[in-house]
Amino acid sequence: AMEDVCAKFVSQKISKTRWRPLPAAALQPPDLFATGSWDNEDNSISIWSVGDLGNAGLNSEYQVEPQLLCDIRHNGDVMDMQFLDQERIVVASSTGTVTVFRHHQNNQTLSANQRWEKAHYHVDQDTCCGGAACTGVICNNPEIVTVGEDGRINLFRADHKDAVRTIDNADSSTLHAVTFLRTTEILTVNSIGQLKIWDLRQQRNEPSQIFSLTGDRVPLHCVDRHPNQQHIVATGGQDGMLSIWDIRQGTMPVSLLNAHEAEVWEVHFHPSNPDHLFTCSEDGSLWHWDTSTDISEKPSFLHQGGRSTTYFSHTTTNQSVASAWLSNDPTKDRMEITNLIPNQTLSVNSLDVLGPCLVYGTDAEAIYVNKQLFA
Amino acid sequence: AAVPSQVVPGADPSARQLCFAWGPAEVLVCETLFGRRGGSRAAARAGGGWAVLTGCVAGSREGGPSSPRLFVVRKDQDIYIQTLRKLFNESHGIFIGLQRSEEELAGKARKAQLVQVSKNYRSVIRACMEDMHQAALSARDPALHSQYSTQVSILSAMELIWNLCEILFVEAAAAGPLMLRLLDWVRLHVCDVDNMVREVLSSENPSKHELFWNVVDIFVLQGRMDEARHLLSKEASANPTSMNMYKILDDLMKKMPVPGLGNTQTLTEMELKWQHWHEECQRYLQDGTFASHSHMESICKILLGDEGAILERKELMTTWYHFLVTQLLYSHPTVKPTELRLYAQMDLFLGGESSPEPLDTILMAAFEFEMHQVIKECSIALSNWWFVAHLTDLLDHCKLLQSHNLYFGSNMREFLLLEYASGLFSHHSLWQLGVDYFDHCPEYGRVYLELHIERIPLNTEQKALKVLRICEQRQMHEQVRSICKIMAMKALRNNRLGSALSWSIRAKDAAFATLISDRFLKDYCERGCFSDLDLIDNLGPSMLLSDRLTFLGKYREFHRLYGEKRFSEAAKLLLMLMTAHIAPCSFWMTLLTDALPLLEHKEVIFSAEQTYELMRCLEDLTAGKADKQKFQQSNPNSAHLQDDVETTKVEMLRLALARNLARVIVKEGTLEGS
């Protein structure tokens, strides 16, 4: 339903978009998201509202375009961005600095809450220049893991001044992205097509497992883990390929799915409905991968636009969904694939899905919000 | 033709000579140390249509006579206006859509498509104007406020011109509909009187308002008959005495024939009806029906197209083109597009009180169907290339510009698109939009793109990847190589050998891969272990890119086999590295030294034949060394110690080889014997 998409031109190229996480008991869809910009003389972090704010004075109550609540300058390109909790956002910069911003909801302002200067660096941390771009950040409150062009992995804890753990030269190539596999294990992807598992409890500075694409060493740019079936991992590569991995077995991907014509910048399983997956790319497309087509009844909560506790009780449904990602040829019978942007030209750098809502940002300096993703 | 010029602010050519350096999007102007001699010429000039913006002053701070200054003169001033970025981005999408739509449709459908594209461009301008207006309202700083207000009026003028071009050229409205379009155009853009209309209509008793008749006249002048009649009816009910007069005027206004849009009425029918109606109006005026009421009499005169009566209402029309359209409406409602030039004139309206402004000249050129004049005048008057580039491209798609070729470069469309895209490329962030414009310039787009893309600063790998993608999609091999090389050099400087190697592999740059492989080997020799094993173990087919890289991969494989205690495989590989000349000569001594533990192993690993080969390798190496030493007879003393170590190594190797040979002969002899 393209007509449900609301666009706003924001006069800066958008590198990241993230929904604010919902409180555990929330029933309503998300109403607030953050964006980060890149390649500007002055880059910024902005907070946007898509809800009706409870302002009775506002004229239209439906399909409101995103309203800017507040923004703050950010030094360097925003390379990655994650909400730590309802109020704090961790931002990775091209200067190598990692900053925690706090969104003050009472007076709608943003402030820098905590900063690790040059968390990523080349050669010498103390020289004036020499910062290396921090390319990825992932949070599991209070823990924050960052990776960078320097091949370094940092483990920070919010409110701690120094890094809890640093693995120097963890990777000889550039690390492009990171995500949590379990509470003590992380997954990284790098520029020579490798997927690595690191166990942060172990003092050894080596990955516990290495998976890799065969042959051409195509760089991997993004990684996400199935929210319920932790052994299922999706990565996106430079050649536009979506790879699905089963980290319980083998060292190669279970399936390679070709959709994009250029770099896949982000891949996300739907957090509460993981038979849906979303990818966006440098080629200007955003694909919705749907493995739920075989199931006659879609989970009903999607139509209500809220969270459901009933869904996870259907374990049988859940099982068959998971195996759909791992079946040998998912394109053939089970997967429905839709491009959500037909006439786009410039790169879609980032996307985020939460509940029935999708937000994405582009190099054409626009952000798009779709509040009825499954309508 | 006179070339328009603008003065670089701050530069003083009368006192100092200036020199220039042309760049792809900017010109550097600097003052030389030489004083001005001889006849003084005019000011520093930038070429036609160049907008001079930035006096970016460098050098000594004192403004004394000997302070050399450097000016950066930009081509396109508006590119840097933050609020216009929306215009550039949104119109980029429309532009791409137009290029893709190419020729699928024909005739009417194609025209409808082009009109829609034109409307889309205009709606982007209007949206931008609205934003700018809001910005002006909320700006506290008066300077900022006036800057925004200026932008609003520039955008408004751009939309006015575009709309007229849309009616006359893109849609090419025929006689009849043309009149309706022009009326819409006037109504949309003459907003100065809107406040007056609003004030009167919202007053308690409009007919008693002092501006009541002004508003009625405004409606009549704009051809808004229903609204005029509605207002008049209020006045009529308040004045029963002149009821009859009102009824007649109302009837005339109601009966006025209007050129139809979609109906079946032919032009001749329309003209006939018009003639009848006109005569009827004439009759009422002549028999003095309205003589007792000057307001109604003047309206009747306007209906008759009386020039004097219309001109009397000059302040309600504010512009000469409103006057033109009103006059056409009441005297030549079925005017043909080509006849417009006969009626279009501004002197009568301006009456020598004010001289025509650039906007007037541009609109006049449009009414005269001088499309190229319109584009030329716009290029001069506006401080951006956005407008002319997009308008010209649209007109070109309407097949209206084909005959016109410039004596330089390609055709006008391409010339203007190149200028606009070059401006985008000079911007730190908008450069990505420029790529698609260059793509649609068949003649010079590629060359421009090649020149510009190499100048994009690459501060992160991600940005480099985006630039690289642009180059790879267009098979710009030279640029791909250069970008990868830059990134590989950066990585090398940062001691990131793994990344450096990845970049050179991507560029298929064998020489650079060799250089990096040597660094790896040097590190190995110094430290005794390999760095970046995860990369070297995963080279795969890319190992074949350069001989040295192959050697690096194979040499690492030797270490792995050795580590896994697969000694005979390791020994075979080691020997092969020398005999097949994969290893560089400088590395042979290291390889032979690596053979030592294998030779001394308790089990015999090298066969007799292999041992002979190893011996030959050692002799070749020492012979080569000896030759070299003879060559450089007088070696300084510092090399002596090194030589001693080397000599000891060679002696050890010879001993180990001899011992191994003895063991293997015994072993092989025993095997043969048994």
Side-chain angles (χ1 to χ4, degrees):
Chain A
M2 286 305 298
E3 57 274 18
D4 297 328
V5 178
C6 189
K8 188 174 178 73
F9 283 84
V10 293
S11 295
Q12 50 187 351
K13 293 195 280 196
I14 296 297
S15 56
K16 288 291 152 187
T17 55
R18 294 285 177 258
W19 289 111
R20 178 177 68 177
L22 294 166
L27 288 170
Q28 66 277 89
D31 57 351
L32 217 121
F33 65 89
T35 60
S37 75
W38 79 285
D39 207 25
N40 235 354
E41 274 171 341
D42 292 324
N43 289 294
S44 62
I45 306 291
S46 312
I47 305 283
W48 305 83
S49 158
V50 285
D52 44 15
L53 278 174
N55 280 0
L58 281 180
N59 33 20
S60 64
E61 70 278 40
Y62 218 64
Q63 273 303 321
V64 256
E65 72 168 21
Q67 298 287 320
L68 180 67
L69 294 180
C70 51
D71 57 3
I72 190 169
R73 252 188 84 172
H74 177 262
N75 195 10
D77 293 347
V78 174
M79 301 294 289
D80 200 3
M81 184 165 73
Q82 295 290 334
F83 273 91
L84 182 67
D85 52 29
Q86 291 272 107
E87 288 187 329
R88 287 178 296 176
I89 312 158
V90 187
V91 181
S93 164
S94 59
T95 62
T97 297
V98 178
T99 314
V100 182
F101 290 97
R102 185 182 285 277
H103 174 215
H104 305 275
Q105 294 175 52
N106 44 356
N107 59 359
Q108 293 304 345
T109 53
L110 274 166
S111 66
N113 181 240
Q114 195 176 6
R115 181 168 286 151
W116 293 283
E117 295 283 353
K118 274 188 223 149
H120 293 269
Y121 60 95
H122 290 303
V123 194
D124 186 2
Q125 198 168 14
D126 300 322
T127 53
C128 62
C129 42
C134 176
T135 52
V137 57
I138 190 75
C139 304
N140 186 13
N141 197 5
E143 288 183 323
I144 300 161
V145 178
T146 67
V147 295
E149 279 184 14
D150 55 357
R152 191 171 271 113
I153 299 176
N154 285 310
L155 171 62
F156 297 107
R157 196 159 285 143
D159 306 322
H160 281 229
K161 195 170 158 279
D162 294 310
V164 178
R165 169 102 192 263
T166 294
I167 307 178
D168 288 328
N169 218 9
D171 203 306
S172 57
S173 352
T174 295
L175 287 170
H176 281 147
V178 59
T179 193
F180 272 102
L181 178 61
R182 282 176 272 271
T183 47
T184 58
E185 280 176 295
I186 55 163
L187 289 163
T188 61
V189 288
N190 70 12
S191 63
I192 56 168
Q194 293 171 327
L195 170 71
K196 296 181 182 176
I197 302 181
W198 304 79
D199 189 340
L200 296 173
R201 285 169 306 188
Q202 293 194 0
Q203 283 312 304
R204 229 158 46 99
N205 288 342
E206 309 250 306
S208 52
Q209 242 178 312
I210 302 182
F211 303 86
S212 116
L213 294 170
T214 46
D216 291 338
R217 315 171 348 122
V218 179
L220 295 174
H221 285 291
C222 49
V223 57
D224 195 24
R225 180 206 50 149
H226 194 288
N228 312 326
Q229 313 266 314
Q230 292 180 339
H231 57 279
I232 302 174
V233 171
T235 62
Q238 185 145 293
D239 53 356
M241 201 78 84
L242 169 68
S243 309
I244 308 288
W245 312 68
D246 182 349
I247 57 165
R248 292 172 310 186
Q249 53 196 9
T251 59
M252 293 188 305
V254 180
S255 49
L256 294 169
L257 303 162
N258 204 352
H260 297 288
E261 282 158 11
E263 288 84 354
V264 182
W265 292 128
E266 284 193 22
V267 55
H268 293 278
F269 283 102
H270 192 283
S272 53
N273 196 20
D275 44 352
H276 295 267
L277 181 133
F278 299 84
T279 54
C280 63
S281 159
E282 179 70 20
D283 69 6
S285 60
L286 193 158
W287 289 89
H288 175 187
W289 308 71
D290 180 2
T291 53
S292 68
T293 42
D294 255 5
I295 299 144
S296 49
E297 256 187 303
K298 282 192 180 180
S300 58
F301 76 94
L302 290 172
H303 302 295
Q304 298 156 1
R307 265 166 53 104
S308 170
T309 44
T310 58
Y311 175 60
F312 296 117
S313 61
H314 299 301
T315 37
T316 46
T317 315
N318 211 17
Q319 284 299 331
S320 79
V321 166
S323 62
W325 287 115
L326 294 180
S327 84
N328 279 329
D329 190 3
T331 44
K332 227 167 196 174
D333 41 13
R334 283 174 178 246
M335 205 177 292
E336 202 175 285
I337 307 162
T338 335
N339 182 7
L340 299 182
I341 314 170
N343 285 321
Q344 184 80 26
T345 54
L346 292 186
S347 173
V348 184
N349 293 324
S350 180
L351 75 93
D352 199 20
V353 277
L354 186 59
C357 301
L358 164 74
V359 59
Y360 59 94
T362 72
D363 275 344
E365 306 192 338
I367 47 180
Y368 298 81
V369 175
N370 181 347
K371 293 182 86 176
Q372 274 118 25
L373 198 46
F374 301 101
Chain B
V3 177
S5 66
Q6 284 186 19
V7 180
V8 178
D12 184 7
S14 61
R16 207 161 288 281
Q17 286 187 326
L18 298 174
C19 61
F20 303 87
W22 294 83
E26 283 146 353
V27 185
L28 292 180
V29 178
C30 65
E31 297 178 342
T32 66
L33 285 172
F34 302 106
R36 183 87 230 158
R37 266 176 292 169
S40 70
R41 288 232 198 124
R45 274 159 198 246
W50 277 56
V52 178
L53 170 72
T54 329
C56 187
V57 186
S60 121
R61 249 179 285 157
E62 289 131 57
S66 62
S67 69
R69 299 204 273 183
L70 187 64
F71 301 91
V72 179
V73 183
R74 281 168 175 168
K75 273 184 180 180
D76 193 330
Q77 172 175 352
D78 288 0
I79 287 284
Y80 299 89
I81 296 175
Q82 182 74 9
T83 18
L84 287 184
R85 283 172 73 157
K86 181 177 174 157
L87 175 74
F88 303 139
N89 277 288
E90 236 181 318
S91 58
H92 166 261
I94 301 171
F95 174 83
I96 296 301
L98 176 58
Q99 315 305 311
R100 285 179 186 162
S101 76
E102 211 62 74
E103 326 294 337
E104 298 156 358
L105 304 166
K108 254 190 181 166
R110 173 70 176 161
K111 182 178 264 188
Q113 191 181 34
L114 290 166
V115 171
Q116 191 50 51
V117 168
S118 178
K119 283 183 174 159
N120 292 344
Y121 276 127
R122 282 201 293 122
S123 83
V124 175
I125 301 177
R126 288 196 88 89
C128 221
M129 211 161 88
E130 185 53 40
D131 285 358
M132 200 74 87
H133 183 63
Q134 289 303 327
L137 287 181
S138 57
R140 297 240 173 86
D141 175 21
L144 203 61
H145 175 86
S146 83
Q147 191 192 326
Y148 285 137
S149 303
T150 313
Q151 280 300 322
V152 171
S153 54
I154 291 173
L155 284 167
S156 155
M158 276 165 33
E159 209 259 332
L160 175 76
I161 301 165
W162 192 300
N163 196 355
L164 185 61
C165 290
E166 177 183 307
I167 295 166
L168 298 179
F169 310 140
V170 182
E171 188 182 357
L178 175 66
M179 196 64 243
L180 298 177
R181 293 275 180 274
L182 289 175
L183 279 173
D184 287 339
W185 176 68
V186 160
R187 284 171 201 158
L188 194 63
H189 292 98
V190 179
C191 314
D192 299 358
V193 292
D194 285 357
N195 283 337
M196 196 197 290
V197 173
R198 217 168 299 130
E199 191 193 322
V200 170
L201 290 184
S202 61
S203 71
E204 217 166 287
N205 192 350
S207 60
K208 290 284 177 288
H209 199 284
E210 55 174 349
L211 296 172
F212 173 80
W213 284 104
N214 276 351
V215 173
V216 176
D217 286 348
I218 287 168
F219 286 147
V220 175
L221 290 168
Q222 293 187 10
R224 293 154 76 171
M225 285 306 172
D226 291 342
E227 285 158 278
R229 286 175 54 214
H230 180 73
L231 259 192
L232 274 177
S233 69
K234 292 191 174 170
E235 168 76 358
S237 50
N239 280 319
T241 45
S242 35
M243 192 57 124
N244 201 35
M245 219 191 299
Y246 282 119
K247 270 209 173 126
I248 293 168
L249 186 62
D250 184 70
D251 195 47
L252 285 176
M253 288 165 79
K254 194 172 98 184
K255 280 198 295 198
M256 180 177 138
V258 193
L261 259 187
N263 61 19
T264 49
Q265 174 182 256
T266 64
L267 216 53
T268 338
E269 280 172 352
M270 162 72 199
E271 272 164 354
L272 212 63
K273 276 194 203 160
W274 173 266
Q275 206 55 44
H276 274 291
W277 176 77
H278 198 81
E279 278 160 17
E280 197 179 349
C281 292
Q282 195 84 45
R283 248 191 338 270
Y284 283 117
L285 189 69
Q286 272 163 5
D287 67 14
T289 309
F290 305 113
S292 61
H293 200 298
S294 65
H295 287 301
M296 284 198 261
E297 186 170 41
S298 103
I299 288 176
C300 187
K301 280 182 180 166
I302 292 173
L303 295 184
L304 280 164
D306 182 306
E307 193 175 89
I310 297 175
L311 263 182
E312 250 174 61
R313 293 276 161 268
K314 195 169 158 178
E315 75 281 6
L316 297 180
M317 292 180 288
T318 65
T319 62
W320 63 269
Y321 43 88
H322 187 344
F323 169 64
L324 168 69
V325 173
T326 304
Q327 219 189 1
L328 287 172
L329 173 66
Y330 293 114
S331 43
H332 310 280
T334 54
V335 65
K336 295 187 183 69
T338 45
E339 293 167 349
L340 280 174
R341 60 166 73 233
L342 304 177
Y343 304 106
Q345 57 146 327
M346 52 182 134
D347 300 343
L348 195 62
F349 187 84
L350 297 175
E353 291 163 28
S354 53
S355 55
E357 292 188 11
L359 178 62
D360 300 318
T361 327
I362 294 165
L363 294 176
M364 186 55 82
F367 281 121
E368 287 170 345
F369 269 71
E370 296 287 350
M371 231 172 288
H372 295 108
Q373 194 61 27
V374 172
I375 291 162
K376 188 181 158 191
E377 298 281 341
C378 288
S379 303
I380 294 167
L382 295 168
S383 54
N384 66 64
W385 289 108
W386 178 89
F387 183 82
V388 279
H390 288 85
L391 182 62
T392 308
D393 174 63
L394 179 62
L395 295 179
D396 191 71
H397 278 87
C398 299
K399 312 235 176 274
L400 292 169
L401 292 170
Q402 272 154 341
S403 60
H404 195 79
N405 277 306
L406 299 175
Y407 60 90
F408 53 92
S410 179
N411 57 25
M412 182 148 73
R413 170 188 173 274
E414 177 155 333
F415 173 78
L416 294 171
L417 286 177
L418 290 173
E419 288 300 298
Y420 173 62
S422 298
L424 290 173
F425 257 94
S426 74
H427 190 275
H428 54 87
S429 186
L430 292 170
W431 57 273
Q432 269 173 303
L433 299 176
V435 177
D436 288 309
Y437 288 93
F438 283 143
D439 277 352
H440 291 99
C441 295
E443 193 118 5
Y444 293 106
R446 168 86 177 202
V447 186
Y448 269 65
L449 183 59
E450 286 173 357
L451 279 175
H452 280 287
I453 203 93
E454 285 188 333
R455 288 168 169 80
I456 302 291
L458 305 171
N459 49 327
T460 65
E461 288 193 7
Q462 187 166 29
K463 186 167 177 186
L465 289 173
K466 281 175 180 274
V467 177
L468 211 53
R469 175 63 62 185
I470 290 167
C471 297
E472 280 178 345
Q473 276 169 346
R474 291 158 183 81
Q475 277 92 45
M476 292 160 59
H477 304 299
E478 198 52 50
Q479 284 68 29
V480 167
R481 238 195 319 277
S482 124
I483 291 163
C484 288
K485 189 133 197 167
I486 290 167
M487 296 311 286
M489 281 304 288
K490 266 190 186 173
L492 200 61
R493 260 205 310 279
N494 292 326
N495 235 352
R496 300 280 301 151
L497 292 187
S499 286
L501 189 57
S502 289
W503 284 108
S504 49
I505 289 171
R506 178 146 184 190
K508 302 199 170 50
D509 186 339
F512 209 76
T514 299
L515 187 97
I516 297 162
S517 307
D518 280 342
R519 276 280 295 267
F520 271 116
L521 293 170
K522 191 170 143 256
D523 280 7
Y524 170 76
C525 290
E526 282 165 8
R527 284 192 268 161
C529 64
F530 280 107
S531 61
D532 304 324
L533 281 182
D534 53 344
L535 174 82
I536 301 171
D537 283 343
N538 272 288
L539 285 173
S542 57
M543 195 195 283
L544 301 173
L545 177 61
S546 97
D547 290 347
R548 200 58 49 84
L549 191 58
T550 315
F551 170 64
L552 176 66
K554 289 287 172 195
Y555 185 53
R556 160 65 192 152
E557 198 179 321
F558 161 75
H559 279 264
R560 213 185 60 233
L561 292 170
Y562 188 89
E564 290 167 5
K565 300 201 189 316
R566 292 152 72 183
F567 296 124
S568 70
E569 285 167 81
K572 206 174 146 196
L573 180 59
L574 189 70
L575 189 59
M576 192 270 282
L577 287 176
M578 284 182 283
T579 54
H581 292 279
I582 297 170
C585 284
S586 59
F587 217 77
W588 280 27
M589 190 45 92
T590 314
L591 295 181
L592 287 166
T593 317
D594 283 331
L596 263 178
L598 290 168
L599 290 167
E600 302 284 357
H601 204 267
K602 58 179 184 291
E603 279 169 48
V604 179
I605 295 163
F606 286 104
S607 70
E609 199 183 329
Q610 285 176 321
T611 316
Y612 287 130
E613 282 188 275
L614 274 177
M615 286 169 138
R616 197 172 55 240
C617 289
L618 182 62
E619 290 319 305
D620 284 356
L621 186 64
T622 46
K625 279 257 168 70
D627 282 353
K628 232 186 236 167
Q629 266 166 9
K630 258 183 233 159
F631 218 67
Q632 345 169 294
Q633 270 293 329
S634 54
N635 237 3
N637 293 346
S638 58
H640 275 301
L641 192 70
Q642 182 95 44
D643 281 350
D644 285 347
V645 174
E646 203 82 327
T647 319
T648 320
K649 259 191 197 168
V650 172
E651 290 308 317
M652 280 171 64
L653 271 167
R654 284 197 174 125
L655 187 64
L657 284 163
R659 281 218 299 255
N660 188 72
L661 191 59
R663 285 160 66 198
V664 75
I665 288 171
V666 172
K667 187 188 159 202
E668 284 175 5
T670 323
L671 283 176
E672 267 168 38
S674 61

